[in-house]
Amino acid sequence: MTLRLIPTHPFSGQRPGTSGLRKKVAVFQQPHYLENFVQAVFDVQPKLAGGTLVVGGDGRYYNPTAIQTILRMAAANGVKRLLVGQHGILSTPAVSCLIRKHSAAGGLVLSASHNPGGPDGDFGIKFNTDNGGPAPEKVTEAVYVRTKTIEAYRILDGIDVDLGIIGGSILGTMAVEVIDPVADYAELMESLFDFEAISQLMQDGTFRMCFDAMHAVTGPYARAILENRLGAPRGTVINGIPKPDFGGAHPDPNLAHAQELVSILNGHDAPAFGAASDGDGDRNMILGQRFFVTPSDSLALIAAHAHSVPGYRNGLAGIARSMPTSGAADRVAAQLGIPCFETPTGWKFFGNLMDAGKVTLCGEESFGTGSSHVREKDGLWAVLFWLNILATQRNQSVANIVAQHWQQFGRNVYSRHDYEGVDSNAAQDLMANLHRALQTLPGQQYGERRILCADDFSYTDPVDGSTSSGGGIRLIFDDSSRIVYRLSGTGTEGATLRLYLESYEPDPTRHTADAQFLLAPLIQISETIADVRRYTGRDQPDVIT
Ligand code: G16
């Protein structure tokens, strides 16, 4: 095998977004495009040479090609040991679990998460550091800076590694281990949850659930854990075989894209519990019979019930949520007497807090929930947490559990409106306009509400003092309701405008009303202030969650 130094030229736009570098497949298929980015990672992370690297992806189109390239580049860049999932499959939380368990120097995840796949779809790559979490901004920026001057990359010539067979081989001087993608992760889950109680629930004859893997990476994990270990009947997991194009669907577990699951849970003779996960297995959606649990409420509920789950019985150090996530978890934290941190959007901002032992649970409105068991959000973990709650609260429906929670804490009514594929300049103009209004908005009255403060969210990490700005425009009203405007950092076409709407409803007689109905006045205010329709050219959002 020959080590080659291949001359290359920099590509513009290789700056990682909210979660790694995401582009159309065709962009990644350009000669040297993937290689440049990977070499930049090796260049700014010298400890990968001589260390262990974990590699895997969500099974999407172009994964096999990219993985073979990365294997040869890892060998050429001096990686000592490389762990790769069988068939290249590893969910994002499984990568995090493996990095931590095997003291790896880092991991590369090949995924564009919930974005569609296939030849015309999206591809992505992200680097996770030795704590198992997404690289922090100082690392992603260093990678980006390196991509701007790169002149050559290192790669071995050679034949492909057979990823179909579990076992070891040697590539150059690097040991390659093709591993069972599920085993270590499943063992970790078993250490956190009461599998005995959950399997009794699964087999008591009255409880039924449905898990939609959306043709993505969690299929093998969910089958192994829910069906094989916990005894849920075969067929509990639907769409359980990962497909390169996710069956032509959008592997995003929300009300708009997980339609098959939603119709099962809304249908006749619906199961008691429904859940879905996304392309790379870090997101989750939780449903009851004809009932949707918002991710913000799910975080709050998980926090409130943590004492009944074995892995969390000793209590929570604290909770963290991204800024646009509702304040429901803050109310639980206050009652538990623990801190609640508000971070920018992006799981990478939770890493320091977890490493420093300041928080145990983290969550985001974007269908992400997780804990310090790994350093990524974790879809199946959230599903198992809910199953553990249901197993200890037998005879309670998901809707009842949430209703009781609202009765105790009040309801943070919440919704996100997305305008996708908007003209980038128009979206920038909308945000710039809001920026200019920040000084004049406080004090203004809109119907019964008055704006108390308006800002662009910025964050100082309490652990290392690093700062992050431009987190989104917040308008906070005197009745503690809130509007947030933000541009997504994960889209690959035009801009996606996200509008986050939240109000607080203490009155239990109004708790069952539809969120869009309760938020209607706030939605109107958000339009009046930002002129969303004019800038986006749309009459309504593309996706409402
Ligand atoms: C990623 C990040 C999350 C973030 C989400 C949405 O999730 O890991 O922290 O909340 O994107 O980000 P944005 O609003 O910028 O599109 P995933 O599941 O796509 O990796």
Side-chain angles (χ1 to χ4, degrees), residues 18-19 22 112-115 126 134 278 280 282-283 322 345-348 350 364-366 376-377 416 486-491 498 500:
T18 308
S19 180
R22 287 187 195 168
S113 186
H114 55 288
N115 295 14
K126 64 175 175 167
D278 70 329
D280 61 332
D282 55 3
R283 297 185 173 205
S322 66
T345 296
W347 204 262
K348 58 193 170 199
F350 296 137
E364 294 188 280
E365 49 66 40
S366 55
E376 285 278 6
K377 56 187 187 264
R416 187 177 98 185
R486 199 184 142 259
L487 297 184
S488 159
T490 57
R498 303 206 194 283
Y500 309 84

Side-chain angles (χ1 to χ4, degrees), residues 434-519:
L434 283 170
H435 252 277
R436 282 191 290 275
L438 285 180
Q439 303 290 329
T440 52
L441 281 168
Q444 290 197 21
Q445 189 82 27
Y446 293 89
E448 292 170 356
R449 295 179 159 98
R450 190 165 52 86
I451 297 183
L452 276 188
C453 68
D455 67 1
D456 189 354
F457 181 69
S458 62
Y459 177 67
T460 302
D461 185 302
V463 180
D464 66 8
S466 58
T467 57
S468 177
S469 55
I473 303 266
R474 297 191 291 188
L475 309 181
I476 299 169
F477 293 82
D478 54 356
D479 63 348
S480 73
S481 55
R482 195 172 72 137
I483 300 172
V484 176
Y485 303 87
R486 199 184 142 259
L487 297 184
S488 159
T490 57
T492 56
E493 263 179 282
T496 295
L497 172 69
R498 303 206 194 283
L499 206 60
Y500 309 84
L501 304 138
E502 178 180 0
S503 67
Y504 181 63
E505 186 53 75
D507 177 2
T509 63
R510 285 166 60 85
H511 282 171
T512 49
D514 176 59
Q516 303 308 314
F517 169 76
L518 292 171
L519 291 169

